[in-house]
Amino acid sequence: MCGIFGIFNHSEAANITYLGLHALQHRGQESAGIICSDSSGFYSHKEMGLVSDIFNEEVLKGLKGNRAIGHVRYSTAGASYVQNAQPFAVEYAKGRLAIAHNGNLTNAKVIRDELQNFGSIFQSTMDTEVIVHLIALSHENSTIERVISTLHRVEGSYSLLILTDKEIIAARDPYGFRPLVIGKIGDSFVISSETCAFDLVQAEYIREIAPGEVLHITQDRIKSYMPFKKVKPKHCVFEYIYFARPDSYMFGRTVYTVRKALGRELAKETHVDADIVIPIPDSGAGAAIGYAQETGLPFELGLIRNHYVGRTFIEPRDSIRHFGVKLKLNAVHDTVKDKRIIVVDDSIVRSTTGSKIVKMLQQQGAKEVHFRVSSPPTAFPCFYGIDTPSRSQLIASSHSTDEINTFMGSDTLGYLSIDGIKKAIGDKEDEFDYDFCDACFSGSYPSKFPLGMGLEQMELFQKK
Ligand code: AMP
């Protein structure tokens, strides 16, 4: 769970990257960083915290050069501290290099162990650093060749940006798990995890970087390589369900349109008689609107979100402790009192949010609470860059829908099926081929894992 942004050949490279990262902030809130380059070197700033807290005019002025890459981070591999903030920069025998990575390498540990056995010293615990070591060790002549030979060795998910003194390289793994798009501002190329960043910096969208594509951008040209064996793409379906911003255009569709379609399918599959439909904001909003449109029920705001909950919030020592979800959400008494409510969220992970919301609505006088989820039960962890807890913490891995309903205290609980997702995504006029990874719901992982990786979870899968 990270966002990346880059720009080549623009006099305001740092400022535009700052804006791009701001638009991608939903993809990671732990740390952020920008590295710029000109002919005399790299200029870098990265810290823990939000983009708007880390960068100011003064800092941005110091980031010189007409090309830059940036990163916002939410750790899925490697701990959360500043050494792990990206972009990650090094100086090696063949020059300077910085890298920003969204994804998870499934064979990072195997390669890291191998390299450490030969004496390599790692500065961080991120799997991204493995890529840097492999590039430095490569005997190929040019950076682009070294990057391509490195990418042949790594497995898993990556959308990558690499910056050197004279070029930017953008790459996407052969399955295309994570998004990556390219656009233009005048003569400058911009690359971003999501198109919502292009809208902010007024870049023109060109296209997705294709799964398995490596793009080489230099002063005089842009060149595309397709160096890997072609496989059927496996875009992450959870980007549509929860992670991406609704206003982004991704994998050939607008995220908001897909979310509404998921809500419509959810209504077709699970509807019960009720008075109103309410979302759990913000993540359930798109699906709740689709649900309301399908059923003709009024869409209401029954829960209001406080957008200013920082991770630094300190609860009082005694008396009213453990605010939990109340810090973030509160019920609107007039909307929910005496109503039979359909409450829609995008997913249930541990089920703590859901059960607290059911209680909150009941305390405000709801007559019935029917919990609806615009995705199937999340029963398997993600190894491709979404932060999911281990399988034992995923309530759906060990409990049936009826048991989860009883635990949450709702009147009924309904999930969307995998078939429902397929119908929602295929809600396009042309013929549609389902190119998505839904391993978090189905347990069907597109790639093999190296021995030892996620062993605990894998054993659990086999026992099932
Ligand atoms: P839980 O209380 O663990 O069931 O959390 C469910 C809520 O977390 C849902 O409202 C989702 O919108 C949200 N959610 C789902 N996946 C993630 C994730 N990987 N990281 C953070 N939040 C998530």
Side-chain angles (χ1 to χ4, degrees):
M1 286 165 72
C2 295
I4 58 175
F5 187 92
I7 184 159
F8 191 84
N9 192 28
H10 197 288
S11 56
E12 291 207 62
N15 288 346
I16 289 175
T17 304
Y18 163 76
L19 289 171
L21 293 184
H22 178 75
L24 298 175
Q25 185 77 80
H26 62 287
R27 298 187 70 86
Q29 300 91 41
E30 283 179 12
S31 65
I34 297 177
I35 295 190
C36 292
S37 101
D38 66 11
S39 50
S40 37
F42 274 4
Y43 307 88
S44 155
H45 186 78
K46 46 184 187 171
E47 267 182 40
M48 303 302 289
L50 298 177
V51 175
S52 56
D53 295 333
I54 295 173
F55 296 97
N56 55 37
E57 236 179 304
E58 190 71 18
V59 170
L60 288 168
K61 233 186 254 163
L63 298 176
K64 293 186 231 156
N66 72 349
R67 40 196 178 263
I69 61 171
H71 188 267
V72 286
R73 178 160 200 262
Y74 185 112
S75 54
T76 51
S80 176
Y81 50 68
V82 77
Q83 284 92 323
N84 279 351
Q86 292 193 25
F88 186 81
V90 289
E91 241 186 288
Y92 72 116
K94 311 226 169 69
R96 288 186 203 93
L97 182 137
I99 182 166
H101 172 206
N102 172 206
N104 258 22
L105 304 181
T106 47
N107 63 344
K109 189 175 178 311
V110 177
I111 299 177
R112 177 185 281 259
D113 289 350
E114 208 179 292
L115 294 173
Q116 280 176 329
N117 282 341
F118 280 105
S120 290
I121 296 165
F122 280 76
Q123 296 171 32
S124 77
T125 58
M126 286 181 294
D127 51 5
T128 312
E129 199 180 344
V130 159
I131 297 176
V132 177
H133 278 260
L134 291 176
I135 293 172
L137 284 167
S138 166
H139 295 299
E140 302 288 347
N141 288 324
S142 63
T143 313
I144 184 74
E145 288 169 306
R146 288 193 282 279
V147 168
I148 289 174
S149 82
T150 293
L151 295 181
H152 272 106
R153 288 213 45 203
V154 297
E155 287 161 14
S157 66
Y158 54 83
S159 282
L160 279 184
L161 283 173
I162 292 170
L163 173 77
T164 72
D165 285 340
K166 47 181 188 294
E167 68 223 310
I168 285 186
I169 296 167
R172 200 163 166 217
D173 67 74
Y175 288 106
F177 286 109
R178 301 280 141 234
L180 197 63
V181 286
I182 179 160
K184 257 192 135 177
I185 307 177
D187 293 336
S188 320
F189 284 107
V190 278
I191 291 148
S192 171
S193 294
E194 293 187 33
T195 62
C196 60
F198 288 173
D199 297 338
L200 178 60
V201 302
Q202 297 185 323
E204 178 199 338
Y205 170 77
I206 301 178
R207 63 173 176 89
E208 259 189 52
I209 291 175
E213 183 174 11
V214 182
L215 265 187
H216 188 205
I217 306 171
T218 54
Q219 200 58 44
D220 18 274
R221 59 163 174 74
I222 174 163
K223 189 161 182 206
S224 162
Y225 298 83
M226 293 294 287
F228 309 111
K229 203 172 124 222
K230 207 167 161 44
V231 291
K232 190 173 155 68
K234 288 285 176 187
H235 309 305
C236 168
V237 79
F238 207 64
E239 292 270 356
Y240 275 158
I241 290 166
Y242 167 76
F243 196 43
R245 237 172 75 161
D247 49 338
S248 284
Y249 180 77
M250 185 179 283
F251 314 142
R253 285 149 189 81
T254 298
V255 175
Y256 176 60
T257 310
V258 175
R259 287 199 188 149
K260 276 197 299 187
L262 291 166
R264 280 199 295 276
E265 290 304 322
L266 179 64
K268 284 183 205 159
E269 288 185 0
T270 69
H271 187 51
V272 290
D273 216 13
D275 302 312
I276 55 169
V277 179
I278 67 166
I280 297 188
D282 295 323
S283 55
I289 290 171
Y291 194 108
Q293 287 174 347
E294 181 65 30
T295 56
L297 287 178
F299 171 86
E300 294 280 3
L301 294 183
L303 293 161
I304 301 299
R305 178 168 170 193
N306 181 334
H307 285 97
Y308 308 97
V309 187
R311 54 185 63 241
T312 49
F313 188 89
I314 299 159
E315 295 186 9
R317 285 245 167 79
D318 39 53
S319 64
I320 37 173
R321 288 186 62 119
H322 305 309
F323 295 90
V325 79
K326 280 191 194 156
L327 278 174
K328 201 165 143 189
L329 293 166
N330 192 26
V332 182
H333 180 73
D334 271 10
T335 310
V336 306
K337 188 170 177 343
D338 296 330
K339 299 281 186 2
R340 296 170 302 164
I341 299 171
I342 306 277
V343 57
V344 182
D345 203 2
D346 65 283
S347 58
I348 292 178
V349 182
R350 297 176 174 87
S351 86
T352 39
T353 314
S355 33
K356 283 177 184 157
I357 280 167
V358 169
K359 208 168 283 148
M360 194 185 278
L361 294 170
Q362 288 164 341
Q363 280 166 353
Q364 291 297 327
K367 206 170 2 166
E368 290 171 21
V369 179
H370 303 282
F371 206 98
R372 293 293 177 272
V373 187
S374 63
S375 63
T378 308
F380 301 89
C382 178
F383 296 110
Y384 308 116
I386 294 283
D387 178 38
T388 35
S390 72
R391 193 158 184 240
S392 59
Q393 287 174 290
L394 295 172
I395 190 156
S397 69
S398 51
H399 294 79
S400 68
T401 300
D402 278 350
E403 286 167 341
I404 300 171
N405 184 46
T406 306
F407 174 75
M408 297 212 308
S410 31
D411 291 275
T412 65
L413 169 63
Y415 288 95
L416 183 64
S417 67
I418 290 184
D419 255 12
I421 295 186
K422 291 182 184 174
K423 282 186 195 148
I425 295 178
D427 212 9
K428 237 186 146 195
E429 278 170 28
D430 51 349
E431 199 184 315
F432 175 72
D433 193 15
Y434 182 73
D435 279 343
F436 290 86
C437 172
D438 52 27
C440 49
F441 310 125
S442 63
S444 148
Y445 294 89
S447 59
K448 288 204 177 70
F449 298 104
L451 204 63
M453 194 213 158
L455 199 58
E456 188 189 315
Q457 285 98 329
M458 293 320 223
E459 278 169 1
L460 266 168
F461 296 160
Q462 280 151 14
K463 275 187 210 149
K464 203 178 170 219

